[in-house]
Amino acid sequence: MGYKLLTDEKSCQGNNVTINVTSAAGLWGGGGLNGGPDDDVLLFHLLLFLSLIDAVKASVTFRLNDGTCRMRRTEPHQGLSQQKLSERQSHVYESLSFVNITCKRRPSGRKTSAKETLITVHFELDVNQKEVTDTCSLSCVRGKAEKRLRKTIRTLRKAIGKDNFHVRLSGKDFEVSKKMPHSSEHLEACGTGQIRVDNRCASCRAGTYYDEDKEQCVLCPHGTYQSEEGQITCEICPDNQDHPKHAGARDVSECGGLCPPGEISSDGFRPCGPCPLGTYQPESGRTSCISCGGGLTTKQSGASSFHNCETRVQCSPGHSYNATSHRCIRCAVGTYQPEFGQNHCISCPVDTSTDFDGSTNITQCKNRQCGGELGNYSGYIESPNYPGNYPANTECTWNITPPPKRRILIVVPEIFLPIEDECGDYLVMRKSPSSNSVTTYETCQTYERPIAFTSRSKKLWIQFRSNEMNSAKGFQVPYVTYDEDYQELIEDIVRDGRLYASENHQEILKDKKLIKALFEVLAHPQNYFKYTAQESREMFPKSFIRLLRTKVSRFLRP
């Protein structure tokens, strides 16, 4: 027996029950808005996403007393639309703006003798304000919507009680299958040091061991540690050492008793002795000391840093002491030294380097990687090392080539370029590398006020260059490609000064989460179903919604 959740004709069908659930897109009769392809219909979802139509919500939980519930994507259910409905079959036609179904198994407790599976369904049903008339107010229309939703829930409750339960929503097919529990003898035995978690074998993590009596993973007790996974015992801490302050030690270093900096022993644990004169040790738990070199000595034994070595000169940050020449050497490009009196420089992290030699801080290590070929539906370009300052003397080139019949929309939330350099650092976007090609955007200054614009060409060549002078934070610029049939609508939106006049609107264009949500729906309108009406209401101010709703409505119904 099984339950199938087949998620646009939208049918929920059981042995004796069929629920036809028509999604918002179905209101347009399954065709394009203007006779175009199916994707055009999904522009309506953008309107819903932005217009925040009032919605009725409901949540309902169904309990299964045996078996478990699991959900997976399936192929379209064959013959579903052709099968005739018998007189015993119930069917409901409804417009659901949002449906979410989850399966969760609840462990047995005092009130339940066996494990239960809970199927939770969250509904949202749009309240169509166009249904308001002189004889039926908005509250009347809302009441009717609530009544229809209750009827849908009752029918759904009956359907779940059948042996087979089918649902199709948003043109996608899923399956919720009822899986009876397996007997223990059919379960494959786990390996040494493993336990069974959700019908899978998992190794006991570091800091624990497998207790055969309890048949579970147990924390290593005080005085022991375990650095590996899947073990059945814990290692005993070295002799004469302090016990760990807590159970579950993962490394011998947690046993306590390590020799402190400036001291050593044969195994790195107490009892320890001080480093002799002319040597030092900056680390804990070491077995040998480091020589100062060059015949240098220390003021006393137990030195913990080269800084304690009596050098002939005191080197400043950004330099290292050469014990052979007894001179300070500037740290090479790609290295830095933040402290006084050291004999070495620290290498920058992988894929980063410094602009010049003599660097004193890790923040001067900058990632120089940038540029590339971009062709996804959405993405972003950013100055190298963003959000840190970009490196000197760098050049980045990007090429955005959208999929066929799509155009490019770009938002520049803010950009930081030093004007003091007389435009030595700049960002330019145009059709091609040729300076005579159509230019979409160009700047060499800092602008903290956001701007959105469409590319004046189908492809976009972008270049960023910096000189050896001042540096700044740079930029992170998101872009999205959209169906070229919407060009008139998108340009109408981004060219309207009201989009930038309000501080609230400016914050929207600067908010990475909101821009990501808007771009996801523009690139793939079916992503509208990821957001509930409540989430949309909380994301955008009413003034922003009114502005976009007017323009989208005028585009849909010119």
Side-chain angles (χ1 to χ4, degrees):
M1 95 177 30
Y3 294 116
K4 266 204 170 177
L5 178 63
L6 307 171
T7 64
D8 288 300
E9 167 157 277
K10 321 308 186 246
S11 295
C12 308
Q13 179 173 338
N15 277 352
N16 298 316
V17 180
T18 295
I19 305 178
N20 291 302
V21 184
T22 304
S23 75
L27 297 175
W28 295 96
L33 293 177
N34 298 306
D38 290 341
D39 283 346
D40 291 345
V41 178
L42 295 176
L43 182 61
F44 182 65
H45 299 157
L46 176 60
L47 175 59
L48 290 180
F49 182 68
L50 298 172
S51 61
L52 311 182
I53 298 174
D54 191 17
V56 174
K57 298 185 198 176
S59 295
V60 61
T61 299
F62 308 98
R63 290 179 174 82
L64 301 177
N65 292 325
D66 58 345
T68 59
C69 181
R70 63 180 181 182
M71 189 180 303
R72 67 183 180 89
R73 185 77 178 268
T74 66
E75 296 297 323
H77 187 66
Q78 299 296 328
L80 188 61
S81 60
Q82 300 176 358
Q83 186 177 1
K84 292 185 177 181
L85 303 178
S86 68
E87 294 182 357
R88 293 181 300 168
Q89 291 178 321
S90 302
H91 50 278
V92 175
Y93 294 90
E94 195 48 83
S95 169
L96 296 175
S97 60
F98 176 80
V99 178
N100 184 46
I101 302 180
T102 58
C103 300
K104 183 178 180 181
R105 188 172 185 179
R106 186 171 69 178
S108 58
R110 296 180 180 178
K111 297 182 178 180
T112 57
S113 58
K115 292 185 177 181
E116 287 185 339
T117 293
L118 306 181
I119 301 179
T120 304
V121 188
H122 300 281
F123 298 92
E124 282 190 15
L125 174 60
D126 289 336
V127 177
N128 190 350
Q129 299 183 17
K130 291 186 177 182
E131 294 180 3
V132 176
T133 63
D134 294 339
T135 58
C136 187
S137 64
L138 180 60
S139 60
C140 167
V141 173
R142 185 180 181 88
K144 290 182 178 180
E146 291 174 346
K147 184 177 180 179
R148 295 199 303 271
L149 189 56
R150 287 195 297 268
K151 183 178 180 181
T152 299
I153 293 173
R154 288 197 302 269
T155 308
L156 184 60
R157 187 181 296 278
K158 294 178 181 178
I160 284 183
K162 306 300 178 181
D163 288 346
N164 293 294
F165 176 46
H166 304 289
V167 178
R168 174 175 293 168
L169 294 174
S170 307
K172 297 180 181 179
D173 296 294
F174 296 90
E175 177 180 13
V176 174
S177 61
K178 185 176 179 183
K179 182 180 178 183
M180 300 305 294
H182 293 288
S183 58
S184 58
E185 60 267 21
H186 296 301
L187 295 178
E188 182 181 353
C190 292
T192 302
Q194 292 184 325
I195 59 173
R196 186 170 296 280
V197 179
D198 296 333
N199 292 328
R200 293 184 179 182
C201 293
S203 297
C204 292
R205 60 180 175 81
T208 70
Y209 71 100
Y210 179 76
D211 189 310
E212 295 183 355
D213 294 332
K214 297 180 180 179
E215 295 185 348
Q216 62 184 16
C217 299
V218 178
L219 291 175
C220 289
H222 298 293
T224 66
Y225 70 96
Q226 182 50 260
S227 57
E228 299 181 3
E229 296 183 350
Q231 301 301 309
I232 58 175
T233 61
C234 293
E235 301 292 337
I236 300 176
C237 287
D239 294 337
N240 302 321
Q241 309 308 325
D242 299 330
H243 288 176
K245 296 180 180 179
H246 57 83
R250 300 185 180 188
D251 190 80
V252 65
S253 62
E254 297 182 56
C255 286
L258 290 174
C259 290
E263 297 184 14
I264 60 171
S265 72
S266 59
D267 60 1
F269 289 89
R270 294 171 183 164
C272 312
C275 287
L277 293 175
T279 66
Y280 65 96
Q281 179 50 258
E283 306 289 343
S284 299
R286 298 299 177 175
T287 60
S288 62
C289 298
I290 303 171
S291 173
C292 290
L296 301 178
T297 186
T298 54
K299 294 180 180 180
Q300 57 188 21
S301 60
S304 60
S305 170
F306 180 80
H307 181 73
N308 302 123
C309 298
E310 295 186 310
T311 59
R312 298 180 185 179
V313 292
Q314 179 80 345
C315 294
S316 60
H319 298 75
S320 64
Y321 185 84
N322 187 302
T324 301
S325 64
H326 297 287
R327 298 174 56 188
C328 296
I329 308 298
R330 289 174 65 87
C331 290
V333 172
T335 66
Y336 66 98
Q337 177 50 257
E339 299 181 9
F340 282 93
Q342 296 300 321
N343 65 336
H344 68 287
C345 295
I346 305 170
S347 296
C348 286
V350 178
D351 295 330
T352 67
S353 185
T354 58
D355 290 337
F356 311 102
D357 60 1
S359 296
T360 61
N361 197 290
I362 191 174
T363 59
Q364 295 173 288
C365 297
K366 301 175 182 179
N367 192 324
R368 305 184 69 89
Q369 294 183 338
C370 61
E373 300 293 325
L374 306 175
N376 295 330
Y377 283 83
S378 62
Y380 62 88
I381 63 169
E382 65 180 18
S383 53
N385 201 53
Y386 183 89
N389 287 2
Y390 52 77
N393 297 312
T394 188
E395 180 177 329
C396 311
T397 301
W398 298 268
N399 286 285
I400 300 179
T401 305
K405 297 183 179 180
R406 297 184 76 87
R407 302 297 293 264
I408 306 169
L409 170 65
I410 298 173
V411 172
V412 181
E414 55 187 5
I415 184 169
F416 299 92
L417 302 176
I419 188 62
E420 300 87 354
D421 292 354
E422 298 181 354
C423 287
D425 303 345
Y426 65 87
L427 175 68
V428 61
M429 305 181 187
R430 53 176 179 249
K431 182 178 180 180
S432 71
S434 171
S435 59
N436 297 324
S437 65
V438 177
T439 299
T440 294
Y441 176 81
E442 186 171 11
T443 186
C444 60
Q445 301 182 42
T446 291
Y447 288 101
E448 297 188 51
R449 180 169 175 156
I451 182 173
F453 53 88
T454 58
S455 172
R456 298 176 62 192
S457 56
K458 290 189 176 182
K459 296 182 179 180
L460 203 58
W461 177 86
I462 306 172
Q463 185 182 67
F464 169 67
R465 296 190 69 176
S466 67
N467 60 16
E468 74 282 355
M469 304 288 288
N470 298 302
S471 182
K473 181 179 177 179
F475 54 86
Q476 185 182 71
V477 176
Y479 75 89
V480 65
T481 67
Y482 58 91
D483 194 305
E484 61 183 12
D485 290 342
Y486 308 151
Q487 178 75 1
E488 180 182 347
L489 169 64
I490 301 301
E491 289 188 352
D492 184 27
I493 294 173
V494 301
R495 292 178 179 178
D496 194 319
R498 291 174 295 171
L499 181 61
Y500 318 100
S502 165
E503 289 187 5
N504 288 336
H505 295 178
Q506 293 180 31
E507 290 302 316
I508 291 173
L509 298 178
K510 287 187 175 185
D511 191 305
K512 294 181 180 180
K513 179 180 178 181
L514 297 185
I515 286 296
K516 183 175 184 292
L518 285 171
F519 278 15
E520 280 183 343
V521 176
L522 275 174
H524 303 286
Q526 61 268 29
N527 283 328
Y528 154 76
F529 290 105
K530 292 173 57 177
Y531 302 94
T532 66
Q534 179 65 27
E535 288 175 325
S536 301
R537 260 187 291 270
E538 294 173 352
M539 275 195 263
F540 303 102
K542 292 182 179 179
S543 58
F544 182 76
I545 299 306
R546 286 195 298 267
L547 172 66
L548 298 186
R549 178 165 52 191
T550 300
K551 295 183 179 296
V552 175
S553 297
R554 185 167 61 243
F555 177 78
L556 294 176
R557 306 176 189 87

